[in-house]
Structures are given as C-alpha cells and as structure tokens.
Amino acid sequence: MKHSPKKIELTPPQILVIGFALIILTGATLLTLPIASAKGALLPFLDALFTATSATCVTGLVVVDTGTTFSLFGQIVIVLLIQIGGLGFMTMATLVAFALKKRISLKERLILQEAMNQGSMEGIVRLIRKVILYSLTIEFVAAVLFATRWSFDLGPGRAMYYGIWHAISFFNNAGFDLFGSVTGPFSSLTAYADDILVNVVAIGLIILGGIGFLVMSDVIEYKKNKRLSLHSKVVLTATAALIVIGAAVMYIFEYTNPKTLGSLNELGKVLAAFFQSVTTRTAGANTIDLGSMRQASQFFMIILMFIGASPGSTGGGVKTTTFTVLMGAVIAMIRGKEDIVLFHYRLGKDRILKATTMVILALMLVVFVSMVLSTTEAHSFLMILFEVTSAFGTVGLTMGLTQDLTGFGKIMIALMMFAGRLGPLTLAYALGPKAEKELYRYPEGKITIG
C-alpha cells in the first residue's frame, strides 16, 4: 500500500523567515538588471543582495549611493522593498486580500500575530486595517510637507517624487535617501542640519514609525477609551526618556566639536542633537558627519542602536519594552523587592525571562560578529562594533565602514540585518526543534549569584 508523502507544516516563524528571504532575493534580482542602474551597467549581485536586504529589513546601510547608482526603476524597487519590509509582507498580503474581499484564514491570522509581535489573535485583523490606514495617511501628509519644502530647491515634480520616496523611507525607519544626486554621494540630510521643517517632519515620521502601531492606535483612540494600555504607557515613557537623554548627551559631548555641532548656530545644535538621538533608534538618516563625532558620542549611539524601537513597529533592536523590563528588574533587585512593578502592574516571570533571553541572544550575536569582522576588516574595533550594532538594530547609520566592507563583511552584515529585522527569538523558533511539553519538573536547586 502506497503512503502519501508527509505534508510539511511550516510554523509562523518559519513562514516569516522564508517570506522575507524570498522578497530579498526577488529584490536583489531586479536590482541587478541594467534597467535598475543609472548608467545601464550590471550591478554586482552581492551589492544588489546587500541593498535588497538593507531595504527589506528597513536598515539603510548601503554599499553604493542610492541617489546616483540607481535609475528611476531601481529607486522604485528599493522604496517598494522598504514599504513591504517595514509593514511586513503579511500586512501587504492582507491589504491585497482586503481589496479582493478574501477572508483571512486562521493560519494567516497566526502569522500576522507573529509578525506584529502580538500576544493573541484577538483583534489582529482590525489592527492590520489600522496599520494600513495610519501608515498611508501619515506618509501622505509627510510627503506633502516634504514636497512643499523641497520644491524651492528641486522644482515641483522632483520635489513631489522625493517627498513621497523619503516619507516612505523615514516612516518605515529605513534611512535610505536620494540626496546623493543633489548634495553628493552618501550625504544623507547633512545639507538640512538646521532646517526646521525637514527636521521636524523627519523626526515625527521616525518616532511614529518606531513606537509601534498598537501604541499609535491606543493614542488615537484615547479620547474614546479614556485609558492607555500598560504596553503603551511603557513604550511612550521609554521612548520620550531615551530621546531626551540621547539629545542631551549628543548636545553636551558634541557642542564644541567643530566638525559636528560646533559649526552650527544654537537652533541648529539643538535640532541636530535631537535628530541624531531619534535617528539612532533605528532610522538611519543623519544630519552631521558621524565619523567626525567624539568616541564617547559614538559609543553612546551604539547603546541606543542596541535598544532600538518598540515592538510591533517598523524598527529593530532589542526593543524599548525589553530594556524597560530589565531596568525594572535591576531596580527591584536593588530595592529588595520580589516583583517588578510598572505603572501599578506586576510583571509575570515569563516576561522577565523572555526579556533576558532576548538581550543575551542579541548581545552574543553582536559580540560574535564584531569579533569575526575585526579579523577580516581593516578598521578600528569601535567602527566595526558600530556597524554591526547598526545592522542588528536595523538602524542604517555608519561611520564610513559600509563602503569599505570586504565580500565576507558584506555577507555578515547582511545576515545581521536579516536577524535584526526578524528578531533573534523568531529566528531561534524558526530554526530550532518544535517545543514539546515537559512531562515532569526537576527539583529546585540553589546556586550562589554575585
């Protein structure tokens, strides 16, 4: 009797990993076509793969300048990869399903739950509707504001194109820009360091993209519900604290540095300090030369990049909530308290264990890749650590190493961007064996700590 072949059942984490990998490969193939190049030349596949990975993982690290290397076709491919990668390919697939009036299956809801980092499937489709609506609305408003400002420099048509393109890039915390063709290759927004409108709109986009759609929905519906969830309170408090502390550190350390803040007027100094603080948390654009910053500032940026954005957002890193839980554990231990309490709520032990696991996995990954690259790349360890952390946090900031990476270095950084976008835990669940329920528990033991 013939047995039918066993059907392979993929878990939601495995589907996410495979889905992102396929999108990256498709994007890389399109970017190698002559039509994608500004000069009609074939882009080396490794460079195309690196660019597609960076765009899909909404990072912003580039080995070739986007504005001068790619044609209109190539730039559109990149911005589509950013939109798909930022909102998630399952969100985009759900948008198509909505348009076709197709029902969302249970399996698809499970994948959406994993993609949006939600604890349950309850209201997941409703959340996806909000994600799509909020994203398109915010990007449209920002595009109009950008276009209005840049029309004075670029002309109406080009300004509108740049407005739409950069609104998508910044909201999705990607950090890609086209200003290489305007102010010189790899210049980012340095020409607008003291421009109030450009800074405010860009900062607003980055923050909104980084706090997460659940928080955004909570804030918008606050007038109706008259309350915020614990998650939203933690995210908003941690985000505000990190932005203010980061800006203060940048302002103090770089105030007298003539190559960064020192050459700007007082308003420019404040704007640049806040912009660098915000963008370090996974956005990737910059208004001052990061390679010229003092080492103390650069190291502090590494810490901010490692923390990253918030769960369910377009950003990476270990996330603000993870950082807050660990800080809460430290404070509780110092004060001799048994429970971690945030906003009058006690956190479960599973939250603490997950936060600890996340940070340790991320730290091990960053340290290991930094050690490996320090043997293959002829640059300082701080520069390499900055690059690796930027890739893991899907930030996209660089001190100038990206363009000098060896072939091996490009592959390692691309893998870090991939791991950072999906998250170490999602990758571990996808690659690891299926968890089985334990039938028994070992007796509790005690070891000395500290």
Side-chain angles (χ1 to χ4, degrees):
M1 184 178 175
K2 272 191 173 182
H3 291 283
S4 58
K6 192 176 179 182
K7 191 177 178 182
I8 299 174
E9 283 289 334
L10 295 174
T11 63
Q14 288 171 335
I15 291 172
L16 285 178
V17 170
I18 293 170
F20 269 99
L22 289 174
I23 291 167
I24 289 169
L25 288 173
T26 303
T29 303
L30 291 173
L31 292 178
T32 56
L33 298 175
I35 193 178
S37 171
K39 297 178 181 177
L42 286 173
L43 186 70
F45 183 74
L46 185 55
D47 289 350
L49 181 65
F50 189 97
T51 304
T53 304
S54 185
T56 307
C57 298
V58 289
T59 305
L61 291 174
V62 290
V63 288
V64 293
D65 180 68
T66 311
T68 55
T69 303
F70 296 101
S71 64
L72 178 63
F73 174 82
Q75 292 170 5
I76 290 173
V77 168
I78 290 171
V79 84
L80 286 175
L81 291 175
I82 291 170
Q83 187 74 289
I84 293 168
L87 300 185
F89 72 91
M90 278 306 298
T91 303
M92 301 305 288
T94 306
L95 175 61
V96 175
F98 288 157
L100 299 175
K101 296 184 178 179
K102 180 179 174 291
R103 190 174 177 277
I104 310 301
S105 68
L106 178 63
K107 184 69 178 273
E108 289 165 342
R109 289 169 194 259
L110 284 169
I111 299 167
L112 286 169
Q113 177 193 336
E114 180 71 29
M116 298 304 294
N117 204 8
Q118 297 300 300
S120 72
M121 285 190 298
E122 186 181 353
I124 191 68
V125 175
R126 190 165 60 251
L127 175 62
I128 296 301
R129 288 181 189 274
K130 291 177 182 177
V131 166
I132 296 166
L133 176 63
Y134 297 162
S135 300
L136 296 179
T137 303
I138 291 167
E139 288 172 354
F140 174 76
V141 172
V144 172
L145 292 172
F146 274 147
T148 303
R149 168 62 187 87
W150 289 331
S151 62
F152 296 100
D153 303 333
L154 309 173
R158 195 178 182 192
M160 181 53 74
Y161 171 63
Y162 271 48
I164 295 169
W165 207 98
H166 290 89
I168 293 171
S169 178
F170 293 157
F171 177 71
N172 288 288
N173 282 210
F176 278 80
D177 72 272
L178 302 178
F179 283 95
S181 61
V182 180
T183 53
F186 307 107
S187 57
S188 192
L189 294 179
T190 51
Y192 297 94
D194 55 359
D195 189 294
I196 296 176
L197 181 61
V198 172
N199 275 268
V200 169
V201 175
I203 287 172
L205 282 170
I206 294 164
I207 292 173
L208 288 172
I211 60 175
F213 296 105
L214 197 63
V215 177
M216 208 184 299
S217 173
D218 237 12
V219 171
I220 290 171
E221 295 181 2
Y222 178 76
K223 190 175 279 189
K224 183 175 74 174
N225 300 329
K226 299 296 181 187
R227 62 182 293 274
L228 291 175
S229 66
L230 174 62
H231 172 77
S232 296
K233 289 177 182 177
V234 170
V235 166
L236 292 172
T237 304
T239 299
L242 288 169
I243 289 172
V244 172
I245 293 170
V249 170
M250 303 289 177
Y251 184 82
I252 293 167
F253 287 177
E254 297 298 318
Y255 189 85
T256 57
N257 186 345
K259 296 180 180 178
T260 55
L261 299 189
S263 60
L264 301 172
N265 58 32
E266 200 57 41
L267 177 62
K269 285 181 172 69
V270 173
L271 285 173
F274 268 99
F275 191 93
Q276 262 54 237
S277 176
V278 171
T279 193
T280 306
R281 307 264 318 297
T282 84
N286 58 285
T287 57
I288 58 176
D289 181 15
L290 304 184
S292 299
M293 295 176 78
R294 294 188 169 114
Q295 288 191 352
S297 304
Q298 292 167 345
F299 188 74
F300 187 73
M301 290 178 82
I302 290 173
I303 297 171
L304 291 179
M305 289 192 294
F306 186 76
I307 296 170
S310 301
S313 72
T314 58
V318 296
K319 305 294 190 290
T320 52
T321 48
T322 304
F323 174 73
T324 304
V325 169
L326 289 186
M327 290 303 295
V330 170
I331 293 168
M333 182 63 70
I334 291 172
R335 295 175 63 189
K337 303 287 185 182
E338 188 175 334
D339 295 323
I340 299 174
V341 178
L342 298 173
F343 295 99
H344 307 294
Y345 283 94
R346 173 177 54 85
L347 296 184
K349 302 293 182 188
D350 62 316
R351 301 293 91 189
I352 303 163
L353 187 61
K354 187 173 182 179
T356 307
T357 305
M358 178 76 175
V359 169
I360 290 175
L361 280 175
L363 199 57
M364 288 170 60
L365 192 59
V366 169
V367 169
F368 173 73
V369 175
S370 298
M371 287 173 62
V372 171
L373 290 186
S374 66
T375 64
T376 64
E377 313 301 314
H379 290 277
S380 69
F381 184 75
L382 182 63
M383 203 171 186
I384 291 168
L385 180 62
F386 191 100
E387 190 86 5
V388 172
T389 310
S390 178
F392 168 76
T394 68
V395 181
L397 296 176
T398 180
M399 289 164 59
L401 174 59
T402 316
Q403 294 82 50
D404 296 335
L405 285 170
T406 61
F408 177 78
K410 290 175 185 177
I411 293 170
M412 292 299 289
I413 293 295
L415 289 173
M416 280 298 287
M417 291 189 285
F418 189 72
R421 178 65 183 94
L422 289 163
L425 283 179
T426 299
L427 276 180
Y429 292 149
L431 301 176
K434 192 176 181 181
E436 294 180 5
K437 189 172 182 179
E438 294 182 355
L439 301 176
Y440 58 89
R441 296 178 73 188
Y442 291 100
E444 186 177 325
K446 295 188 186 232
I447 59 171
T448 303
I449 302 294

